[in-house]
Amino acid sequence: MSKITTELLLERAVPRSTRLRKIETLNLSKLQLKTGDLDPRLFSRLRHLQKLDLSDNLLDKFPNSLTLPDLRVLNCNNNKLEDVTALKQFPLLEELTYENNVYLTLNDDYKVMFLLQNLRLLNGKDITKLANHVRRVNSRKLTSKVTAHWEKFFRDQLPEKYTAEQVKSIKKKFLKSVQTNVVYGPSSLSEFTRWRVKMIAEEFLAYSLGLELNSDPEPEEKMDEDEEESTESPRAAAEDVGQVTVAPSKRKRNNSKPGSGNKRSKSQANTEEEAVVNPRKSSRLQDDPAPDKPRTSNQPAKEATPEQGAEGTHKNGEQFPRVQSNRRSSQLTGEQKSQEQDNGVVSLTPVKNSKGKEDVSAEPLHFLQCHSKGNSREDFKTQLWSCVFEPLLDCGARKDPIVSSSRTVATCGGESICLIDCETGTVLKKYKVATEEFFSVAWTTLTMVISDSRKKSHNILAAAGRRGIVKLIHVAADFCYGEIKAHKKPIATVCFSPTQETHLFTASYDKRIALWDIGIPDCDYNFKASQLLVLEALSIPLRIALVPTCPEQYLLAGCEGGCFAWNIKLDKEQKCRPFEAIFQFPDEDRGMTTSHRVDGLAFLNDDVIVSKSSKPGCIYLWSWSRSFDAKGKGHQRTVSAVILAELEWSTTDLSYLTLSTCPAKDYVFCGDEKGSVWMYNLSKYTTAWSSAKGKRSDKRIPPTQILKWPELRANGEQLTEILVNNVVSDPTFTYLVVLTSVNITAIWKKS
């Protein structure tokens, strides 16, 4: 039975009404409505409805016959919409919002701009000028190209007297050919272009050959999984991000047992409240309704909609945002300057380490608030998740991870990605994509052919998050040249192969890890991405790592339900593969278990793996070779991890505080729930562990040092309740970058 009744409609009318035909404003938000709940027969009685709020529901599409002839304002935020073409049934629509529908892209924005001739505001932005361009200039150019394609390749194929069968055959060939060969505008709009080309081609045939026009065309065919599509260039905000003075609002934390799935809960895209998916809380990202109250509510800002200002102009006349560096110059507009001034300067008041007996081995350099929603200096809710240092182009850093990297680090959180100079604290570049929340970034170096046919190496940054889309950014050119629609659910983490520079792994909440070949873009940034492999997991993968001694053969993943290994060798015919091994670890009852959340995973060297979260207060170091060799002897899928040592760590039961390693210096780093960084120098242990008969360390290894969070103040108030989500050093351990739950990036430098 439908959730929507006459009584409900009358009750949810604003103001309440006694007759359906009198309702002008209707609020149906937060009712967990699905598409089948929208009964066209009932809605057809809302003849004078002008404003409709369907936000925070579970709609994946609109029925084609809702019959709301007077609808002017529609809010569809926080649903699961996959298609917008049904909105053409509301021709008088003037204002439309559908933010936080993770499957909608820039192409859908352009579709509604074309379909809705009266549309003025899209997601809060005035799109009048851009929409006129789409409806007129874009349509005129495409019509010219479609006509030319017919004249050149198909006109002579049709005899003077033709049969219906001949027309049907040539129509099919023409539609296929024209959608493949007619190209216009940036590749980020390729889906929209194909959609319009098909529409124009059908109209052309109907006019030229007297064919009946299909007034309700079938939905556009899905792209093949290996077909590339790219996205909009993310907008960069020029900001003056200095050292920070911050005053956060108090937050409550859930401290239930790990199995309850409540602590640090991240909400799903279709929750009843403000819903934001975060990359760690996988148990909440199933098909069930809303989880408990999320730890944060970092809704993306409404910035990167199609008609942004501060844009570059594409060669075809389309406007797309470009990236700007963080240098003050006379070219900045007054609006940009005011944004920079409003961003706030965070002052640091250091306090002495509470453990005075420790030798200070690192000192704080910068505390930056550069991922703020809407550049607000009051934003202490945006969570920061991932950072990775840029490889140097002239030192072969990709092939040898021990070689020094640059001092530039890419960080992500909320709607933005920042490139930061660790020494100066300058935000060199900033990329923004509204409606996105980035969870992971990774670097690769591609040898590209430049305009004069010479080859040159360039660093490419891949970024992914809540929408399941991978953005590919050519950093030196300040250009997001493409996207890969990798998954229909959020991507928790990504990483590149150290031996195949175009091979990218994406781990998603759909319980799959996919291997992609992202291809190499040509001088016009055309590229072809293809899916090579899909690894099936029993639970959501949170962390992935390639085995250093055989990165083309084995991949490990720390998941919500355990630690798994897969054979990823591409000479096998099987494209979709189950896991090859699951590792079991000691549990709190001194037994062995495979069922535990592994939220930290990294290699310390070629053999030693560091993982955490099988139980509170403990980080395990274990041997890959000895553990996996045991599998080979017994041919079993469940194998016991050969534990080499345990590291003493915080006793918190909060999950998703991940760890990292610095193999060149034998260091392990892990943050805690108090803003501290635990550092372990394990150089005196690694030689013993490398022995085939190396024994397990009997006692837990304490941290070499704990870096305490210094005192930060904003408006006279001290910043407290800091969770360290991630901490990463450069390969030589010169800089240490700390990402927090309160929108602060801390940079330390080794003394």
Side-chain angles (χ1 to χ4, degrees):
M1 182 177 177
S2 174
K3 294 181 181 180
I4 299 181
T5 62
T6 300
E7 292 74 18
L8 177 67
L9 294 178
L10 294 173
E11 180 184 341
R12 302 279 292 203
V14 183
R16 289 191 181 185
S17 180
T18 57
R19 300 231 180 144
L20 293 181
R21 59 187 174 84
K22 290 185 176 182
I23 297 176
E24 294 185 357
T25 301
L26 184 60
N27 184 354
L28 297 178
S29 64
K30 300 181 180 179
L31 293 176
Q32 298 291 301
L33 297 177
K34 296 184 178 180
T35 299
D37 295 318
L38 304 182
D39 184 357
R41 290 175 299 176
L42 193 56
F43 273 75
S44 66
R45 298 166 62 188
L46 300 168
R47 305 295 296 176
H48 297 95
L49 185 66
Q50 295 189 17
K51 296 182 179 180
L52 176 60
D53 186 351
L54 289 168
S55 60
D56 299 291
N57 284 300
L58 307 175
L59 304 175
D60 57 2
K61 62 180 179 179
F62 276 93
N64 284 321
S65 53
L66 282 186
T67 318
L68 300 173
D70 205 26
L71 189 65
R72 310 298 175 99
V73 179
L74 178 61
N75 182 353
C76 306
N77 288 346
N78 297 313
N79 277 279
K80 301 167 73 175
L81 294 176
E82 299 181 11
D83 183 62
V84 296
T85 54
L87 295 175
K88 67 182 179 181
Q89 65 185 296
F90 310 129
L92 299 184
L93 206 59
E94 298 175 357
E95 298 180 22
L96 172 64
T97 55
Y98 49 58
E99 293 182 304
N100 297 320
N101 284 271
V102 296
Y103 306 135
L104 298 184
T105 68
L106 181 67
N107 291 278
D108 297 292
D109 294 343
Y110 274 65
K111 288 179 183 179
V112 296
M113 280 188 273
F114 173 78
L115 292 171
L116 301 172
Q117 300 292 313
N118 291 317
L119 194 65
R120 295 183 297 102
L121 296 177
L122 178 61
N123 294 327
K125 299 291 184 179
D126 187 341
I127 51 93
T128 306
K129 187 176 180 180
L130 180 60
N132 287 335
H133 178 89
V134 171
R135 296 167 194 149
R136 293 181 176 87
V137 180
N138 182 283
S139 295
R140 187 169 62 248
K141 294 279 189 182
L142 289 179
T143 300
S144 175
K145 287 176 175 284
V146 168
T147 305
H149 192 76
W150 169 266
E151 294 290 332
K152 184 174 182 180
F153 298 107
F154 287 89
R155 182 181 179 181
D156 294 338
Q157 295 185 28
L158 197 65
E160 289 187 15
K161 295 182 179 180
Y162 45 80
T163 65
E165 195 62 33
Q166 288 175 317
V167 170
K168 183 178 179 181
S169 174
I170 201 168
K171 175 183 177 181
K172 183 178 180 181
K173 292 178 181 178
F174 176 59
L175 290 180
K176 182 177 180 180
S177 175
V178 78
Q179 289 181 82
T180 302
N181 295 293
V182 170
V183 179
Y184 175 70
S187 58
S188 59
L189 292 174
S190 56
E191 180 190 337
F192 167 75
T193 301
R194 283 196 306 273
W195 177 79
R196 280 292 290 132
V197 163
K198 181 181 180 183
M199 188 182 300
I200 292 169
E202 288 179 333
E203 292 171 351
F204 172 80
L205 292 177
Y207 176 77
S208 301
L209 305 180
L211 300 181
E212 183 179 346
L213 183 62
N214 184 2
S215 60
D216 190 18
E218 296 178 0
E220 182 170 350
E221 295 180 2
K222 298 277 186 180
M223 294 183 63
D224 294 334
E225 283 187 338
D226 61 350
E227 185 172 349
E228 170 273 329
E229 275 206 289
S230 56
T231 191
E232 73 275 19
S233 310
R235 182 182 179 186
E239 298 176 280
D240 182 26
V241 184
Q243 299 174 332
V244 208
T245 332
V246 251
S249 55
K250 295 281 184 179
R251 298 181 302 107
K252 293 182 179 179
R253 286 201 303 269
N254 296 321
N255 289 310
S256 55
K257 294 293 181 184
S260 68
N262 287 330
K263 64 181 182 298
R264 303 192 69 197
S265 171
K266 315 293 187 295
S267 65
Q268 191 175 353
N270 51 352
T271 66
E272 294 179 8
E273 304 192 11
E274 287 185 313
V276 177
V277 180
N278 282 324
R280 312 299 190 260
K281 191 56 194 173
S282 56
S283 61
R284 290 299 176 191
L285 279 169
Q286 311 302 325
D287 294 327
D288 52 326
D292 295 343
K293 185 177 292 185
R295 176 176 145 203
T296 61
S297 178
N298 18 333
Q299 293 281 359
K302 300 177 181 178
E303 285 198 33
T305 44
E307 76 290 349
Q308 295 288 354
E311 302 136 334
T313 302
H314 192 272
K315 62 184 178 182
N316 291 314
E318 307 282 359
Q319 287 188 322
F320 293 96
R322 299 287 293 189
V323 179
Q324 298 175 359
S325 69
N326 187 42
R327 300 184 183 92
R328 291 185 179 273
S329 74
S330 58
Q331 295 176 342
L332 290 180
T333 65
E335 178 185 357
Q336 288 173 313
K337 290 180 180 177
S338 67
Q339 285 180 350
E340 290 188 73
Q341 293 161 0
D342 289 344
N343 215 29
V345 177
V346 178
S347 69
L348 168 64
T349 308
V351 294
K352 291 184 178 180
N353 194 314
S354 58
K355 294 187 178 181
K357 62 183 180 180
E358 292 182 355
D359 294 329
V360 177
S361 61
E363 60 182 6
L365 277 187
H366 310 287
F367 289 78
L368 310 175
Q369 188 184 9
C370 52
H371 289 270
S372 300
K373 176 183 174 182
N375 296 332
S376 170
R377 57 185 177 185
E378 303 301 324
D379 178 6
F380 303 103
K381 293 182 178 180
T382 295
Q383 300 221 40
L384 311 183
W385 294 115
S386 175
C387 62
V388 60
F389 278 83
E390 181 178 11
L392 288 177
L393 289 172
D394 56 354
C395 70
R398 286 203 80 272
K399 297 180 180 179
D400 184 1
I402 295 179
V403 174
S404 171
S405 73
S406 70
R407 67 187 195 185
T408 302
V409 67
T411 61
C412 74
E415 64 185 6
S416 60
I417 302 161
C418 292
L419 267 65
I420 302 171
D421 184 321
C422 288
E423 183 64 31
T424 65
T426 303
V427 179
L428 304 171
K429 301 176 190 293
K430 184 170 182 177
Y431 306 83
K432 280 189 180 181
V433 179
T435 75
E436 181 61 280
E437 183 183 4
F438 289 107
F439 297 154
S440 187
V441 286
W443 289 100
T444 190
T445 303
L446 301 182
T447 302
M448 301 165 59
V449 177
I450 54 181
S451 56
D452 56 358
S453 299
R454 290 186 296 112
K455 293 183 177 181
K456 187 176 180 180
S457 294
H458 290 282
N459 284 333
I460 302 298
L461 186 68
R466 186 166 62 87
R467 295 174 63 195
I469 296 172
V470 178
K471 304 282 187 180
L472 299 173
I473 302 170
H474 184 187
V475 173
D478 291 345
F479 187 50
C480 176
Y481 68 85
E483 72 174 21
I484 301 170
K485 294 181 179 178
H487 301 268
K488 278 202 167 184
K489 288 195 175 182
I491 295 173
T493 188
V494 298
C495 79
F496 279 100
S497 165
T499 55
Q500 300 290 333
E501 66 272 8
T502 62
H503 286 191
L504 175 70
F505 291 88
T506 59
S508 170
Y509 282 57
D510 61 12
K511 301 180 185 178
R512 292 182 176 89
I513 301 170
L515 171 58
W516 302 86
D517 187 335
I518 66 169
I520 297 177
D522 61 21
C523 57
D524 294 321
Y525 290 103
N526 299 308
F527 72 105
K528 182 80 170 178
S530 58
Q531 188 182 82
L532 304 178
L533 199 61
V534 175
L535 310 177
E536 299 284 352
L538 297 181
S539 58
I540 295 170
L542 304 172
R543 291 284 173 267
I544 54 178
L546 294 160
V547 178
T549 54
C550 45
E552 296 179 354
Q553 185 164 3
Y554 289 109
L555 176 139
L556 267 69
C559 304
E560 280 285 344
C563 186
F564 300 83
W566 286 265
N567 188 325
I568 58 172
K569 204 163 186 179
L570 291 176
D571 59 2
K572 292 176 173 284
E573 292 184 2
Q574 190 178 9
K575 296 296 184 183
C576 187
R577 300 180 189 174
F579 67 89
E580 187 158 315
I582 180 172
F583 298 94
Q584 57 183 359
F585 294 82
D587 60 20
E588 293 177 332
D589 299 324
R590 299 182 181 276
M592 299 294 284
T593 181
T594 58
S595 181
H596 57 97
R597 179 185 296 125
V598 178
D599 60 2
L601 182 73
F603 274 85
L604 180 63
N605 54 35
D606 285 351
D607 183 60
V608 178
I609 303 168
V610 189
S611 65
K612 75 169 270 284
S613 201
S614 62
K615 59 182 180 179
C618 176
I619 297 173
Y620 282 119
L621 290 98
W622 49 290
S623 168
W624 157 256
S625 60
R626 278 183 267 175
S627 302
F628 204 69
D629 284 349
K631 172 193 176 297
K633 294 175 183 177
H635 300 286
Q636 71 271 29
R637 295 180 80 188
T638 302
V639 294
S640 297
V642 178
I643 307 296
L644 303 173
E646 294 181 32
L647 302 182
E648 178 186 317
W649 186 65
S650 168
T651 57
T652 181
D653 61 356
L654 283 170
S655 296
Y656 317 116
L657 306 173
T658 196
L659 57 79
S660 69
T661 60
C662 180
K665 302 295 182 180
D666 292 322
Y667 260 89
V668 174
F669 309 98
C670 192
D672 67 12
E673 79 287 2
K674 298 179 181 178
S676 300
V677 177
W678 299 56
M679 309 192 325
Y680 308 83
N681 184 349
L682 303 175
S683 54
K684 64 181 180 181
Y685 300 96
T686 52
T687 302
W689 292 337
S690 63
S691 168
K693 297 182 179 180
K695 294 183 179 180
R696 172 176 175 173
S697 302
D698 295 329
K699 296 181 180 179
R700 285 189 178 184
I701 300 174
T704 306
Q705 184 185 355
I706 300 177
L707 295 179
K708 296 294 184 180
W709 185 260
E711 180 180 314
L712 293 179
R713 293 186 178 276
N715 302 325
E717 295 186 28
Q718 185 173 347
L719 180 62
T720 58
E721 295 191 50
I722 297 99
L723 308 182
V724 175
N725 289 332
N726 204 344
V727 52
V728 173
S729 78
D730 67 303
T732 59
F733 189 18
T734 303
Y735 302 100
L736 197 64
V737 179
V738 179
L739 303 182
T740 70
S741 61
V742 292
N743 191 27
I744 299 295
T745 301
I747 301 176
W748 298 69
K749 186 175 183 181
K750 192 174 181 183
S751 301

